[in-house]
Amino acid sequence: MSVHTTGEPTVVQQRGESGAAGSDFSRLSKAITAAGLMRRRPWYYAVRMSLVALSYAAAWAAFLVVGNSWWTLAVAALLAVVFGQVALVAHDVGHRQVFRLRKASERTGRIAGNLGIGMGYGWWQDKHSRHHANPNHEELDPDVNPDIFVWSQAQAREATGLPKFIGRLQAYLFFPLLTLEGFNLHVAGVRALADRTLKQRRKEGFLLFAHFALYLGALFVVLPPGKAVLFLVVHQCLFGLYLGSIFAPNHKGMPTLTGEDRPDFLRRQVLTSRNVRGGWFTDLVLGGLNYQIEHHLFPSMPSPHLRKAQPIVARFCQEHNIGYLETGLINSYRQALKSLHDAGAPLRAAAATPGPRG
């Protein structure tokens, strides 16, 4: 079994002593369940979702109160953070951490995602489920498709178009390009409506376009056109940057898999994920996704339990000689950027090689 990586850290895949796929995870799962960490936390989510909803309403109220003033750009920055928190709630709802019933999860997810922030919930859930099934697998994980960035030197050698153009300097362009992620979410959600396999397609479309109408209507009614456009750009760019910065530390720079490289579930999730150390503030800003390893192993675990699960999972991985990586936030970004720079090496080499003379 081979694991490929384009930068730090290097992890060597090792089989469990039993050799049976999933047997190690079964033992870990029993320990987690026995600790009560898979129990739902209805009161926690009731409080959290209420606070997020109040913050959402307060931010828009501030927008109305501030009105036609340059201070409205500060409101745009505040609203970007609030939109990110709404996205994190939609994420937890999509993983069935909040509600036991699927219908309640989907209904709440569409209200938060489609109506609240203009993100196609059905499109996102399909994409995110495929990512969870095969994280960092170059053919199976949509998050490492070379559509803009190249994530390995093998992808760089095959790159054409935009990835080939960007790949040489992608480490320097990564965070600037994250500012476009908010716009990308909107476009992807609208494009997904053309897919007839999308569940509740009409409802998704109605809520999505209702968001756009209310959002743009509010901006252009309260603000003059130039200031409304500036508000939109600041808000959406900061929202994209915040959202991208939440997810960037989780897998970028970790080993990538190709072809038939598919370790058992436990190792597939642990070896391709990275945890970020921090306290309550880190938990709040990153929505618990700083415990990425535990989240990938137990995606339906309520986010406040991830911190408690962390020492159990870390100890289990140490006992079974499974590489478990935890680092600081800044270092996680450094590793991700170094990996991106290393992945683009073939493109830089090709650009530096003079072509044949006529």
Side-chain angles (χ1 to χ4, degrees):
M1 182 63 64
S2 59
V3 177
H4 309 284
T5 178
T6 59
E8 295 184 7
T10 299
V11 182
V12 178
Q13 167 64 29
Q14 293 181 327
R15 291 287 189 181
E17 293 180 359
S18 65
S23 59
D24 288 338
F25 175 72
S26 178
R27 288 190 285 273
L28 174 60
S29 182
K30 289 178 181 177
I32 291 293
T33 302
L37 299 179
M38 296 306 296
R39 289 199 299 265
R40 299 187 188 279
R41 293 286 301 274
W43 286 109
Y44 164 82
Y45 277 108
V47 172
R48 176 179 167 187
M49 292 168 70
S50 296
L51 290 174
V52 170
L54 287 172
S55 299
Y56 187 89
W60 280 114
F63 169 76
L64 295 174
V65 170
V66 171
N68 183 14
S69 163
W70 288 112
W71 283 104
T72 195
L73 298 183
V75 178
L78 171 64
L79 199 59
V81 176
V82 174
F83 265 45
Q85 288 294 314
V86 174
L88 288 170
V89 167
H91 171 271
D92 286 10
V93 168
H95 278 297
R96 305 284 291 276
Q97 296 177 19
V98 184
F99 302 105
R100 182 176 58 86
L101 298 177
R102 177 178 57 82
K103 286 186 178 181
S105 298
E106 291 180 349
R107 187 181 303 114
T108 306
R110 289 191 183 100
I111 292 172
N114 295 56
L115 184 60
I117 60 176
M119 179 187 75
Y121 177 76
W123 159 81
W124 171 82
Q125 190 176 46
D126 173 71
K127 175 177 177 288
H128 197 61
S129 296
R130 287 185 284 129
H131 158 70
H132 264 265
N134 293 283
N136 270 22
H137 193 291
E138 293 184 18
E139 289 88 41
L140 301 175
D141 182 358
D143 286 355
V144 290
N145 282 341
D147 48 0
I148 295 181
F149 301 105
V150 291
W151 304 104
S152 69
Q153 293 189 1
Q155 288 184 344
R157 295 185 187 97
E158 300 294 327
T160 59
L162 191 59
K164 182 178 181 179
F165 177 73
I166 290 177
R168 288 176 294 170
L169 299 173
Q170 62 182 14
Y172 302 98
L173 297 173
F174 181 67
F175 281 105
L177 286 174
L178 283 184
T179 59
L180 302 178
E181 183 58 26
F183 297 104
N184 176 58
L185 286 178
H186 304 321
V187 172
V190 172
R191 291 178 61 184
L193 297 175
D195 184 359
R196 294 185 178 275
T197 64
L198 180 68
K199 295 180 180 179
Q200 301 289 326
R201 191 159 58 113
R202 290 184 179 180
K203 186 179 295 184
E204 290 254 351
F206 174 79
L207 292 173
L208 202 57
F209 284 104
H211 168 83
F212 297 146
L214 293 170
Y215 178 86
L216 295 174
L219 263 57
F220 285 93
V221 167
V222 174
L223 302 175
K227 200 171 287 184
V229 171
L230 187 57
F231 182 101
L232 184 149
V233 170
V234 171
H235 172 230
Q236 294 295 331
C237 286
L238 290 180
F239 169 49
L241 181 62
Y242 177 39
L243 208 57
S245 298
I246 290 173
F247 289 95
N250 301 339
H251 303 280
K252 308 312 179 190
M254 296 301 291
T256 60
L257 309 175
T258 59
E260 297 301 317
D261 293 346
R262 293 191 79 235
D264 63 71
F265 177 80
L266 174 64
R267 289 161 178 81
R268 187 160 74 243
Q269 304 300 335
V270 175
L271 297 179
T272 60
S273 303
R274 175 198 295 113
N275 274 16
V276 175
R277 287 191 295 268
W280 67 267
F281 184 73
T282 305
D283 292 359
L284 174 65
V285 173
L286 300 184
L289 296 183
N290 41 314
Y291 303 103
Q292 188 67 193
I293 294 173
E294 289 71 31
H295 170 61
H296 259 256
L297 288 171
F298 305 98
S300 62
M301 178 184 290
S303 58
H305 287 169
L306 294 171
R307 173 181 284 271
K308 298 176 181 178
Q310 190 273 334
I312 299 175
V313 174
R315 183 169 58 251
F316 187 92
C317 289
Q318 183 179 19
E319 292 170 352
H320 291 77
N321 198 25
I322 301 171
Y324 181 104
L325 181 63
E326 184 179 37
T327 187
L329 181 62
I330 301 302
N331 193 42
S332 71
Y333 290 136
R334 183 186 67 80
Q335 291 176 6
L337 294 176
K338 184 180 185 303
S339 175
L340 282 168
H341 186 71
D342 291 346
L347 294 172
R348 292 192 298 276
T353 303
R357 295 184 178 181

